[in-house]
Amino acid sequence: MIDKDKLISLLISKEIPVKTTRRYKTIGYRIKLESGTAVYVYDSGGFFCQGNNADQVRKAIEDEIIDEPNNKVFVVYGHDKTARNQLQRLLEELNLEPIFSIISL
């Protein structure tokens, strides 16, 4: 996962010249490189390369990105608060972060 500022810093550190940066729709940014490659970095943390040298740019970025582990677990439960609390304790013991959503019938 990467954001716009980290990606631009990474590109500059790899001596890949950045030409322009602009908001792309409502989902991220489009970073245009001097080579003509466009790198789209999404608010979700993903990215996509398109155009000249896209594979080389993608590889340069991927070589530097370390995926952060996602320890969040989405849990849907009913009205049994005891079971919910027991599950929460178990998940926390396993270093997982429960995200609870109640289901109503």
Side-chain angles (χ1 to χ4, degrees), residues 3-59:
D3 65 25
K4 173 187 66 106
D5 296 328
K6 286 181 186 176
L7 182 58
I8 290 172
S9 295
L10 174 63
L11 292 168
I12 291 169
S13 73
K14 294 280 190 175
E15 298 181 0
I16 301 172
V18 175
K19 186 175 180 182
T20 59
T21 302
R22 68 170 30 169
R23 186 78 178 152
Y24 179 69
K25 299 183 181 179
T26 59
I27 58 173
Y29 290 87
R30 179 178 182 255
I31 302 168
K32 186 76 171 181
L33 307 180
E34 293 288 335
S35 67
T37 304
V39 181
Y40 298 88
V41 60
Y42 302 104
D43 295 337
S44 64
F47 74 95
F48 175 74
C49 298
Q50 178 180 355
N52 302 336
N53 306 319
D55 289 337
Q56 293 168 330
V57 173
R58 181 188 47 76
K59 177 134 176 58

Side-chain angles (χ1 to χ4, degrees), residues 75-92 98-102:
V75 179
V76 178
Y77 69 98
H79 296 282
D80 188 343
K81 299 283 187 192
T82 303
R84 177 200 179 275
N85 293 338
Q86 290 173 344
L87 179 59
Q88 180 176 2
R89 283 193 298 276
L90 173 66
L91 293 172
E92 288 171 350
I99 300 170
F100 287 103
S101 177
I102 190 166

